[in-house]
Amino acid sequence: MNTQRPIISRSATVLAVLVLILAAAWGYLFGYPAPPVDPAWEVAAADTIPEGAVVVRYAGTSTLLFDDGDTAFMLDGWFSRPPPFSVLFGKIEPDMEAIRYGLEAMEVDKLAAVIPVHSHYDHAMDSPEVAMRTGAVVYGSEATANICRGWGLAEERIAILSDRAPFQLGAFVITPIESKHFQFNDPEMVETMLTQSEISDPLVPPASAFDYKLGKAYVLLIEHPRGSALVIGSAGFVPGQLEGIEADVVFAGVGGIGSQTAGYREQYWAETVDTVKPERLVLIHWDSLTGPIDQPMSGEVRIAGFLAAGAEETEAFLKAKAAENPDLPFQTLPRFAPVVLFP
Ligand SMILES: [Zn+2]
């Protein structure tokens, strides 16, 4: 009888310790760390918008809204944030409530166009629904067109982009440049997410995240009488491709760069920012793909590290580049709020 008590309390202690360890591991793996950017880079939202100014708003990843007061258009229009388990092992689909929330937060009801930078789920999955709600035409590759068809967007609201063929939206002229997606380090990811690039039939969700194939990866040159911007949605490059292109502002995607080699990062930088030499640099695609849309942006949840591995490397690299380029303002945008891009 005397020995019973200590045994019970010992096993209770062991159990309690185990529970604490599991809880800590769970909290670590499923917790959202700070994003890999310097908080000091965030620009303040505009409290007044000059007449005719071009305003930009950011929802996360590469969802950007450009608006000059007459014409508004959006890149990607992605607001759903399916959780890590569904992305890895389950099926995903547009989250209607997240899309409603995002459009309302960005104060959008009418858009001329939605332009996904490529067809992966974190760019193009919600594009047709955003187009339906705003009257927009979706511009993209054949893969993007099949995402739209699978969602039931009318054929006359789908336009196929041609490499370096500019098109006009109000006073904006958009030139799509076929480029390369970020190159994953893992051969299996390269095969699934890059080499198999086509979506040849209408894609009807719910579907696997891996069914949202790349299509084509575009760099977008956006020209307006008040200024020009180059959006590089994914951290890929084609050597020499951006030579001769000028833009006041470069929006540079940095998703995944921490998981690549130092050589890759340097070459990406040389082929984009160093080639175009903008006056301002806005970093995009540094936030979590699974963090809720109605919360402040965070770094990638650790369990989904493959989506944004090497966050420490990303942050160290960006801070080193900022130190090397003291005359180039490094900026991030607040979530949803308007920022004056060209006064
Ligand atoms: Zn992608």
Side-chain angles (χ1 to χ4, degrees):
M1 284 302 274
N2 271 355
T3 54
Q4 285 285 40
R5 265 170 188 270
I7 287 169
I8 290 170
S9 71
R10 213 176 301 144
S11 26
T13 309
V14 169
L15 192 67
V17 168
L18 271 177
V19 165
L20 280 176
I21 290 172
L22 279 174
W26 184 273
Y28 179 79
L29 287 172
F30 289 88
Y32 286 92
V37 288
D38 190 331
W41 293 338
E42 185 171 306
V43 293
D47 29 43
T48 53
I49 293 160
E51 182 71 27
V54 176
V55 162
V56 64
R57 291 177 189 248
Y58 183 51
T61 61
S62 53
T63 290
L64 291 158
L65 171 77
F66 296 89
D67 187 356
D68 69 357
D70 282 326
T71 307
F73 66 96
M74 204 181 266
L75 307 192
D76 295 356
W78 184 60
F79 301 104
S80 301
R81 293 293 185 275
F85 190 86
S86 311
V87 170
L88 288 174
F89 309 111
K91 294 200 165 185
I92 59 171
E93 62 187 333
D95 176 341
M96 304 300 261
E97 174 52 27
I99 295 169
R100 185 205 62 76
Y101 177 89
L103 291 176
E104 200 177 289
M106 285 175 121
E107 301 180 275
V108 170
D109 48 23
K110 191 168 166 278
L111 291 172
V114 178
I115 313 170
V117 295
H118 59 267
S119 300
H120 285 154
Y121 87 96
D122 57 319
H123 300 274
M125 181 172 77
D126 296 348
S127 305
E129 177 59 24
V130 169
M132 281 179 182
R133 291 179 188 222
T134 59
V137 171
V138 176
Y139 290 76
S141 64
E142 280 294 343
T144 293
N146 273 326
I147 292 172
C148 293
R149 290 181 187 120
W151 194 249
L153 187 67
E155 205 60 40
E156 63 268 21
R157 303 266 293 279
I158 303 171
I160 306 292
L161 294 173
S162 301
D163 189 26
R164 297 204 183 225
F167 61 97
Q168 195 141 6
L169 299 170
F172 292 95
V173 177
I174 321 289
T175 307
I177 301 165
E178 283 181 25
S179 183
K180 260 191 168 171
H181 188 272
F182 169 71
Q183 299 297 300
F184 299 100
N185 239 343
D186 172 33
E188 223 169 295
M189 283 291 281
V190 170
E191 176 61 27
T192 317
M193 299 307 282
L194 304 179
T195 311
Q196 300 168 12
S197 62
E198 292 311 311
I199 301 172
S200 29
D201 296 304
L203 177 59
V204 182
S208 162
F210 302 103
D211 289 341
Y212 286 84
K213 301 295 182 193
L214 172 69
K216 285 178 175 153
Y218 299 102
V219 165
L220 297 168
L221 177 62
I222 299 168
E223 293 169 293
H224 186 276
R226 304 238 174 156
S228 56
L230 188 74
V231 181
I232 305 158
S234 180
F237 57 88
V238 174
Q241 187 183 41
L242 299 180
E243 267 162 34
I245 287 182
E246 286 174 19
D248 302 320
V249 184
V250 164
F251 292 78
V254 295
I257 61 167
S259 68
Q260 256 292 359
T261 60
Y264 181 97
R265 286 193 282 276
E266 286 298 336
Q267 204 183 350
Y268 171 57
W269 205 263
E271 292 289 349
T272 55
V273 182
D274 287 350
T275 300
V276 179
K277 298 185 179 65
E279 285 161 21
R280 279 162 77 181
L281 176 66
V282 179
L283 301 167
I284 55 173
H285 216 330
W286 42 263
D287 52 307
S288 169
L289 299 186
T290 58
I293 193 74
D294 58 354
Q295 299 293 312
M297 285 182 287
S298 67
E300 193 52 88
V301 61
R302 292 182 184 90
I303 191 95
F306 85 99
L307 295 171
E312 327 73 48
E313 297 291 339
T314 300
E315 188 167 3
F317 173 74
L318 294 175
K319 284 183 173 167
K321 284 294 166 198
E324 276 171 35
N325 297 274
D327 298 330
L328 175 64
F330 277 52
Q331 301 183 336
T332 61
L333 302 176
R335 195 167 226 177
F336 302 129
V339 167
V340 174
L341 185 62
F342 308 128

